[in-house]
Every structure is written in C-alpha cells, then in structure tokens.
Amino acid sequence: MKKTLFPAFGILLVDDEPAWLKSFALTLKSCAGINNIVTCQESREVMGLLDQGGIGLVLLDLTMPQPCGETLLQQIGESHPGIMTIIVSGMNQLETAVRCMKLGAFDYIVKTDEEDRLVSGVLRAVRILELQQEFRTMSDRMLSRELKHPEAFVDIVTCDPRMHDLFNYVEAVSPSHQPLLITGESGVGKELVARAVHTLSGCSGPLVAVNVAGLDDTVFADTLFGHVRGAYTGADQARPGMIEQAGNGTLFLDEIGDLSIASQVKLLRLLQEGEYFPLGGDRPKRMNARIVVATHRDLAAREAAGEFRRDLYYRLCTHRISIPPLRERVGDIPLLLDYFLNEAAKSLGKKKPTPPKELAQVLATYSFPGNVRELRGMVYNAVSLHKDRILSMESFLKAIGQSRDTANPPLQSQNPFATFERLPTFVEAAELLVEEAISRSNGVQAIAARLLGISAPALNKRLKMSRK
C-alpha cells in the first residue's frame, strides 16, 4: 500500500547530534503525524540537499561546525527564498533570536522547551506553507481554467461555468490536510464532490462516509472513535471506529449541521489535536484521515443563533465549497435528463426512450426543491412507466404539479395584489401574467399555457389581442 506523506513537502532536520535528530523525528511523527522527514548531521551537505528540491521547511541548529547555523540561514534565504527556516537552538538568548529573525528565520525554538511548544511551532510553519502553496495553485487554476484531472468529476454532469470554477477550486484544495466544508441544498450532489476530493487527494486509504444527523452524543463518539472491550454493557469485544477504518483515507461526515453541541466539542478537539480516545480507552490514537464535512443547513445562521460552536465553524471553514442548486443552473437540465434516461433504461432493462422536445423546457420552469436527486427520481419513475417510443410527459407534469401544490399555499392566503396602492385592471393583470409566463417558458407557448392553466389556443388568442 502506498504510504501517505505528511506534509507533501519534505522537512529537513539539521543538527550535529544524531541522538537529537532521531528523538525529534520520532516526536514529530508520534505527536503530529509528520513523516516526510529528512535528517542531516553535516552542515556542509545542507545546500546540496536543498538544491535537489522537495524540501519546504528546514529546522536548523545554530551551534554546528562550519558553516555555522547563522551562515546557513543567510545562504538559504539568498538561494532558496521559498523555503522556510526555523532555528532550533540550545541557547535561550533574546539577542540571538532577534538576530536570526532579522536574517529571515520564521521562528526560534529552544530545545529545552516543552514538547507541545516544539511540535506546535513546526505545525504552524507547515500550515502557512500549505496555505501559500494552495494560494499559488488556486491562482494558477483560476487563470488557466483548465482541469488537470477532469476524470475525477466524471460522475458530476454539468456545463455550468460556476460548477467548472468549483472543480478548479476542488483540484487546488484536495491535497490539503485541512478540513473541507461542502454546503448546498439536499440533492445537489455533495457526496459526489466529496468523492472527487478523495480521488484527487492522493490519500492511500478508503473513503468512509457517515451521516451524523440524529446521532446522540454517545452514539456519535462510538461511531467515530470506536470502543475497547468492556467499555459499556454489551461491548464484548473491541470495535474500531470510522476514523480508524478510514486510516490514511478520507472521513466524510454528512449533515454536520445537525450535530449536538456536546458532539461538536468532541469533533473540535479531534480537529485541533489530531487524536482521540476510543470509548473506555485511556490511550490516545492518532487520526491520519482527511476530514470532509457537508451540510444543507446555513451554518453561519446556526452559529449566530448559538446552535453551532463558533470555534468549530471557523475551523471547518478553512476550505469551503458551496454547490449551487439546480434551479440556478437550468442549462444542466437537458444534460442531466439525457444522462438519467440512459442510466434508468440500463437499470430497468429497457431501450432508452426519446424525450419530447418540450420536456427540458417544462422542467426548466420548475424550482426543483429536491435538486438533482429529485430529477433523477422523476426520470426513473417515467422510464419505469414508459411503453411507447416517445417518453410520456404525464408523470413529470403530475410530479411537478403535486410538488407545487405542496410547496405553494393557496393564492388567497398570499394575495399578490394586497400591497398594491393601485390595483391593475383585469386587462393589465392578464397582460402581465401572460408576459411572465412567456418569459418563464422562454417563448414556448405550449409551456406558457400550462403554467397559466389555459389551453394553447386560448393563450394564442390573448397574444393576438394584445398585439392589436
């Protein structure tokens, strides 16, 4: 199995003490999951290693034989300005630290500092370097507007420019180890985007999806973290949680907006510390999986209402993707209709039916509260009932009518003229209504007539009268 490296760039540890090199490398691996480490005891070899490429961060000891640490710091800044350097020294001297910072060091860490201070300093540098790389990648993607891996999005049928911009963003942030938040209404395809993120991430493990809506705090913890034997009554044997099952892959948490506050605290700690305790266990386990979350809810509104923790919200918003609803990309409807007709015909063992020419236009007048999932259901239902060569529109019209009746209250309770200072005449109101129906149907009179609930000849007669 391919080993996943974190971070994507190498970290070079430079010190003439082999014991310290070995100890600190183990500390970074066990406490932060950092395993892309190169060590060097000879200061004279440092520039040659950097010239080979692949190194993004250098942890440099000051007190070494020639060239000394300060000399190397200057050389790195001049020859490799894109590489970040942290000074790791045994001397806790303010003057030395200030001098190193003026020479371009990102940070100055004392070897005798607590382990958490050492690790957090390295992780902070890694995060900044990742953000810089992501910014450069996104800039290149947005300028070129060309996908390097279009095959990752083959299951997402679209011709909408906003969706293609979204794909460019996904390509840019997929390799990141930071959480990714996917928002959008139910049925827009959030899990499909999560699968594309996983494909592009390069993670060696599987994609594990969990719908967390409705899980109470205990079930949520058991589902994610697992438990040890004897953790509670009935726990006859240990069970790994979803985090462990995801391994070096991706953990996709759907409907994250429905988590209880108690569960939000557990998720926040997991994201902050990168480790967790199985239920009943006293030894922490390291999380290696990438976290991707999704919700159809407005998290900003829930955070403002006190229903979602602010610190968790901002941590999840490091990378954010918002998928537009189907009603805002009606140009995708003909493509999706053809795609689902093919899919449904194969699934049901039928020959692909020919849709009426006006079907796509009729569907374009509908708001699709269930989005792509609702359209797929309509197509499958129509194909299952299909008998003739031309696909009947009856089931589509019935589904649209029932949904509109359910979604829209009677006009009596929402009188559109209630706020008018001057009521329009019957003739004026009829003309405006016809004009709006023609606009919504893109000039197709048969569809406009259906929207108005009149026959096509009656609409044609009204149009002729209005032109006189």
Side-chain angles (χ1 to χ4, degrees):
M1 181 180 292
K2 182 182 176 182
K3 184 179 180 181
T4 302
L5 294 177
F6 171 67
F9 51 83
I11 297 179
L12 178 61
L13 307 185
V14 184
D15 198 296
D16 57 352
E17 298 180 15
W20 185 86
L21 286 176
K22 184 177 181 180
S23 173
F24 195 49
L26 287 172
T27 298
L28 291 176
K29 184 174 183 180
S30 61
C31 296
I34 294 174
N35 57 6
N36 197 356
I37 296 174
V38 180
T39 60
C40 178
Q41 294 178 229
E42 293 289 339
S43 57
R44 289 171 294 184
E45 299 176 0
V46 171
M47 298 307 296
L49 288 171
L50 298 184
D51 290 339
Q52 295 175 17
I55 301 296
L57 176 63
V58 177
L59 274 66
L60 182 62
D61 182 31
L62 280 182
T63 55
M64 291 186 299
Q66 291 298 323
C68 67
E70 285 191 35
T71 302
L72 273 176
L73 177 61
Q74 289 178 294
Q75 293 176 353
I76 293 171
E78 292 170 358
S79 302
H80 300 280
I83 294 177
M84 191 175 286
T85 304
I86 295 177
I87 298 299
V88 184
S89 174
M91 300 181 295
N92 189 6
Q93 297 178 351
L94 180 61
E95 297 83 358
T96 304
V98 171
R99 189 166 63 251
C100 290
M101 301 298 278
K102 287 182 177 179
L103 290 173
F106 170 75
D107 201 353
Y108 186 97
I109 299 175
V110 181
K111 290 182 178 180
T112 55
D113 282 347
E114 293 182 358
E115 190 176 88
D116 289 347
R117 163 80 174 97
L118 298 173
V119 174
S120 62
V122 175
L123 286 176
R124 185 167 59 253
V126 167
R127 177 65 187 131
I128 291 175
L129 285 168
E130 286 182 336
L131 285 174
Q132 291 174 349
Q133 178 59 43
E134 288 162 15
F135 177 76
R136 288 192 293 268
T137 304
M138 279 189 283
S139 297
D140 293 341
R141 291 275 196 277
M142 297 307 173
L143 288 173
S144 68
R145 301 182 70 86
E146 291 184 4
L147 295 173
K148 290 187 177 181
H149 300 283
E151 68 279 0
F153 306 98
V154 68
D155 292 329
I156 306 175
V157 180
T158 183
C159 62
D160 191 273
R162 289 173 300 173
M163 292 296 288
H164 285 281
D165 288 341
L166 184 149
F167 294 167
N168 276 295
Y169 181 81
V170 168
E171 274 200 340
V173 302
S174 289
S176 171
H177 290 268
Q178 298 302 313
L180 172 67
L181 171 64
I182 304 173
T183 61
E185 296 177 5
S186 294
V188 293
K190 296 188 288 293
E191 186 165 350
L192 290 178
V193 173
R195 292 186 180 280
V197 170
H198 173 69
T199 300
L200 293 165
S201 68
C203 293
S204 59
L207 171 70
V208 176
V210 185
N211 190 318
V212 299
L215 299 183
D216 63 33
D217 185 47
T218 302
V219 176
F220 172 78
D222 193 22
T223 300
L224 257 64
F225 308 145
H227 61 256
V228 299
R229 182 180 179 183
Y232 51 83
T233 303
D236 299 328
Q237 57 184 4
R239 185 182 68 82
M242 294 299 184
I243 297 173
E244 189 171 345
Q245 292 178 36
N248 291 319
T250 302
L251 180 63
F252 175 53
L253 304 178
D254 201 5
E255 301 302 348
I256 201 73
D258 294 316
L259 271 184
S260 67
I261 294 295
S263 295
Q264 291 174 30
V265 173
K266 288 181 171 62
L267 179 59
L268 176 63
R269 185 184 182 283
L270 175 69
L271 296 175
Q272 287 177 333
E273 306 298 333
E275 61 182 27
Y276 61 96
F277 289 87
L279 291 184
D282 55 4
R283 291 185 179 181
K285 289 189 174 183
R286 188 87 204 154
M287 178 182 69
N288 298 316
R290 166 80 179 279
I291 298 291
V292 177
V293 301
T295 182
H296 71 281
R297 294 185 177 275
D298 185 344
L299 285 190
R302 289 180 67 80
E303 181 272 320
E307 298 172 344
F308 202 86
R309 290 182 62 95
R310 177 173 297 179
D311 44 9
L312 177 58
Y313 171 70
Y314 285 112
R315 184 166 287 274
L316 292 176
C317 283
T318 303
H319 299 306
R320 180 172 180 175
I321 295 170
S322 181
I323 306 175
L326 184 56
R327 62 180 170 275
E328 293 181 7
R329 44 189 179 100
V330 293
D332 286 344
I333 290 178
L335 290 176
L336 288 165
L337 180 60
D338 184 68
Y339 180 82
F340 290 139
L341 283 172
N342 266 316
E343 186 183 78
K346 289 180 181 178
S347 175
L348 298 171
K350 293 186 174 184
K351 185 178 180 180
K352 179 187 174 184
T354 301
K357 293 181 179 179
E358 65 271 26
L359 177 57
Q361 192 61 54
V362 169
L363 294 174
T365 67
Y366 180 53
S367 63
F368 280 102
N371 290 287
V372 179
R373 185 185 295 127
E374 183 180 7
L375 174 58
R376 183 177 184 272
M378 285 184 182
V379 172
Y380 266 74
N381 183 51
V383 174
S384 66
L385 299 173
H386 170 68
K387 294 180 180 179
D388 301 321
R389 187 176 66 84
I390 302 296
L391 185 68
S392 171
M393 291 179 55
E394 184 66 27
S395 65
F396 290 98
L397 295 174
K398 184 177 180 180
I400 290 174
Q402 288 176 344
S403 183
R404 280 177 172 155
D405 292 343
T406 303
N408 299 324
L411 285 176
Q412 290 86 343
S413 63
Q414 52 170 21
N415 192 331
F417 304 113
T419 58
F420 282 37
E421 184 175 342
R422 182 188 75 83
L423 290 176
T425 65
F426 276 110
V427 174
E428 290 172 335
E431 288 181 352
L432 290 172
L433 194 58
V434 168
E435 182 181 334
E436 179 63 21
I438 291 294
S439 174
R440 292 192 183 191
S441 62
N442 285 340
V444 181
Q445 292 186 25
I447 298 173
R450 285 196 184 97
L451 293 175
L452 294 170
I454 60 178
S455 66
L459 175 61
N460 185 263
K461 182 178 179 181
R462 285 185 174 276
L463 289 172
K464 286 181 179 178
M465 291 174 58
S466 64
R467 295 188 187 113
K468 291 181 180 180

